[in-house]
Amino acid sequence: MTNEDLKKEAFQFLDEHVTAAMATVNLLGEPEVATMYYYTDDDFNFYFISARNSQKLKNIEANKNVAIVVGFGPAPITIQVGGIVEIRYDFNDEFVNKIFEKINFHNLDQWPVLQLEKEGLIILKVKPKWLVLLNFDKEGHPNTYSHDFHKLV
């Protein structure tokens, strides 16, 4: 399988999922993780919506390095990312609509993005330094099945 085929499979996987776990480090050096809605562009950049007063933003302002995981089961396939965050304080961003379209607020049991906002919202753009696909799902994704990571970025 070519690298372009692997990337195509990774984009399809990312498009099929709506949440990712983002890990940051607080001022004490302790890890913290948050589940967030996301959108990805054609360069594997991730876009997230966050509250201006969130602990996550405080962590990122101190240390812009984050880790991201998409794929929490039940299928044993995941995309893992390490990257640098760019904070966009202008919430009138084209990616806001793309994130909201992807979320498709049709279920009341979804994460309360807008209810969490108290002092405004921001966009977090994560540019990957590295991105890997790990696929142990032989039946569901036979073309990329492997016991090794596929490095895509």
Side-chain angles (χ1 to χ4, degrees):
M1 178 167 266
T2 69
N3 198 41
E4 287 306 311
D5 291 334
L6 289 168
K7 286 183 177 182
K8 185 176 180 182
E9 175 99 8
F11 281 124
Q12 180 179 345
F13 179 79
L14 290 170
D15 193 47
E16 291 169 356
H17 292 76
V18 295
T19 57
M22 178 191 288
T24 61
V25 177
N26 68 24
L27 294 175
L28 299 174
E30 300 166 335
E32 296 184 358
V33 179
T35 302
M36 303 173 68
Y37 293 113
Y38 71 91
Y39 169 79
T40 50
D41 66 19
D42 293 338
D43 294 319
F44 287 114
N45 293 310
F46 281 71
Y47 298 85
F48 300 91
I49 298 172
S50 182
R52 285 182 186 251
N53 63 343
S54 69
Q55 181 61 46
K56 172 182 3 23
L57 180 58
K58 293 173 188 168
N59 294 350
I60 290 169
E61 287 173 333
N63 181 347
K64 296 197 181 329
N65 292 286
V66 298
I68 301 167
V69 175
V70 176
F72 316 113
I77 182 170
T78 185
I79 290 182
Q80 301 171 29
V81 183
I84 304 291
V85 177
E86 172 190 324
I87 303 167
R88 295 184 174 186
Y89 292 96
D90 179 9
F91 193 67
N92 294 322
D93 193 282
E94 68 178 286
F95 295 103
V96 172
N97 290 334
K98 292 182 181 197
I99 292 169
F100 283 155
E101 285 173 22
K102 185 172 183 173
I103 295 170
N104 190 15
F105 289 107
H106 62 277
N107 184 341
L108 294 177
D109 294 330
Q110 290 176 293
W111 297 101
V113 174
L114 298 177
Q115 291 85 349
L116 294 175
E117 178 275 318
K118 301 211 179 6
E119 295 179 22
L121 297 170
I122 56 154
I123 295 290
L124 302 173
K125 176 184 177 183
V126 179
K127 182 176 172 113
K129 293 192 290 186
W130 58 268
L131 182 145
V132 295
L133 167 67
L134 182 61
N135 177 17
F136 293 135
D137 185 15
K138 190 173 191 176
E139 291 181 24
H141 296 87
N143 294 336
T144 57
Y145 170 76
S146 175
H147 283 276
D148 291 321
F149 289 96
H150 296 289
K151 185 172 179 151
L152 303 177
V153 174

